[in-house]
Amino acid sequence: MTPQSSNLVHALSFDIEDWFHIVEVKAVENPDLWPDLHAKSSLVERYTDLILEICARHNTRATFFILGWVAERHPAMVARIAAAGHEIGTHSYWHRKVYELTPQTFREDMQRSIDVIEAASGTRIAGFRAPSFSITAGTEWAFDVIADLGLLYDASLFPAKRGHGGYACPQGPHHHAAPSGRRIPELPMSIAPVGYGPLKKRMCFSGGGYMRLLPLSLIEQGIAAEAAESRPTVIYLHPRDFAPDCPKVSMPPHRYFKCYVGTSTTARKLDALLERHRFDTCRTVLENHFGTLAPLIEEHAA
Ligand SMILES: [Zn+2]
């Protein structure tokens, strides 16, 4: 651990959805298929319990951005996460990409997810992470919907190019201006230069397929690079990232690799990172940066 990293509290987050909520995979993208897949092969509860065990082992709190569709079917699991002292956030209801929705359909989806998750957890939700980090240029109206619904922060921006999304924004905690002028606290995904020599590349290193694929030494390199800029690292993982027995469906080879590589390494890597660094919820990391969280009204010059 570098001296810079030891002074920082990093953000640990999990997007709680089932294995078949992977986007743009024909075999599973129709929600009409989900009840049957859920009955036959759901893994969300089993691997969320593993995540809870790992967090408990290190006495670490995390943010669980839960899919409303999952919360409705696993209310006892949602209650267990809340009872363990973790932060509960929303990951939407239907796992649709924000840039494919209208402001109205996004609002309805979000309200449904908030109602279901708050009922199951008995807590108020403050934070949102979009499916596939899908707030992109042109969908900034999502920030106004988030503020209108009473949420206090967003964690959906991915400040680099990616398959489904990506958004040019500052790195680290900052305020994002919504079209109405309100400024919403934002905790974007961590991006840092990772690798050696000519292979060094600015990339995501601390979540999903990137974290399954990269060796621990390169994940540490990314954390150190962010810490040198006084920025906390954000980890994001899904239950399926821990699941070597995740059901396999057909998809293009590059997606197949990225979906399934390294699942047997995730728990060990997370254990090592939680041993070496301090982590807490997304909300705590933002509060450490900003103080109390509230959408700010833009000051206009008189
Ligand atoms: Zn997701």
Side-chain angles (χ1 to χ4, degrees), residues 6-297:
S6 65
N7 294 328
L8 282 171
V9 177
H10 306 280
L12 180 59
S13 66
F14 301 98
D15 296 353
I16 300 300
E17 60 194 50
D18 223 313
W19 72 268
F20 44 85
H21 295 121
I22 37 181
V23 298
E24 289 177 1
V25 172
K26 277 268 174 291
V28 296
E29 73 182 359
N30 180 353
D32 292 346
L33 301 172
W34 295 353
D36 194 42
L37 292 167
H38 182 258
K40 286 185 181 142
S41 58
S42 175
L43 55 70
V44 68
E45 188 140 354
R46 198 157 35 102
Y47 284 100
T48 297
D49 282 341
L50 172 65
I51 289 168
L52 288 171
E53 259 177 59
I54 295 172
C55 290
R57 188 147 71 224
H58 297 276
N59 202 14
T60 299
R61 294 190 315 151
T63 301
F64 289 69
F65 294 105
I66 304 175
L67 195 65
W69 191 94
V70 166
E72 206 160 68
R73 286 156 183 83
H74 298 270
M77 177 189 77
V78 176
R80 276 203 301 285
I81 299 169
H86 298 291
E87 182 192 3
I88 307 287
T90 174
H91 191 45
S92 83
Y93 185 89
W94 285 112
H95 209 255
R96 295 177 294 193
K97 293 186 284 299
V98 176
Y99 60 77
E100 292 180 349
L101 302 177
T102 64
Q104 187 56 31
T105 50
F106 177 62
R107 182 183 301 263
E108 288 161 7
D109 178 289
M110 286 290 281
Q111 186 65 63
R112 185 171 178 188
S113 80
I114 291 168
D115 291 347
V116 168
I117 298 165
E118 288 188 345
S121 67
T123 64
R124 280 295 301 274
I125 291 177
F128 169 61
R129 173 168 295 134
S132 298
F133 298 96
S134 58
I135 295 183
T136 52
T139 54
E140 287 83 358
W141 46 258
F143 287 96
D144 276 318
V145 174
I146 290 165
D148 288 347
L149 293 173
L151 302 188
L152 300 179
Y153 75 88
D154 176 71
S156 303
L157 297 185
F158 190 99
K161 281 209 185 332
R162 72 193 305 269
H164 334 276
Y167 195 99
C169 70
Q171 291 183 247
H174 63 278
H175 281 113
H176 194 92
S180 66
R182 284 175 292 189
R183 300 172 71 226
I184 315 296
E186 168 68 33
L187 185 65
M189 195 52 210
S190 301
I191 305 289
V194 168
Y196 297 101
L199 295 179
K200 194 161 190 164
K201 192 173 170 239
R202 192 176 164 272
M203 63 185 289
C204 179
F205 60 90
S206 56
Y210 307 93
M211 194 167 145
R212 281 185 274 110
L213 184 61
L214 291 174
L216 202 48
S217 59
L218 290 185
I219 298 169
E220 290 285 8
Q221 190 190 29
I223 293 174
E226 282 293 85
E229 305 289 332
S230 303
R231 288 194 292 260
T233 286
V234 180
I235 285 184
Y236 84 95
L237 290 164
H238 312 83
R240 68 171 172 275
D241 289 320
F242 295 81
D245 58 344
C246 183
K248 310 287 192 285
V249 289
S250 72
M251 58 181 89
H254 70 284
R255 288 291 315 274
Y256 191 93
F257 181 72
K258 202 173 165 230
C259 275
Y260 298 123
V261 69
T263 45
S264 62
T265 70
T266 310
R268 178 177 57 77
K269 286 175 186 164
L270 183 59
D271 255 328
L273 294 171
L274 297 190
E275 189 66 39
R276 295 176 196 171
H277 304 275
R278 281 190 297 159
F279 284 88
D280 208 320
T281 66
C282 294
R283 180 173 184 159
T284 300
V285 166
L286 285 168
E287 284 174 344
N288 287 348
H289 192 83
F290 290 121
T292 308
L293 291 187
L296 302 181
I297 305 300

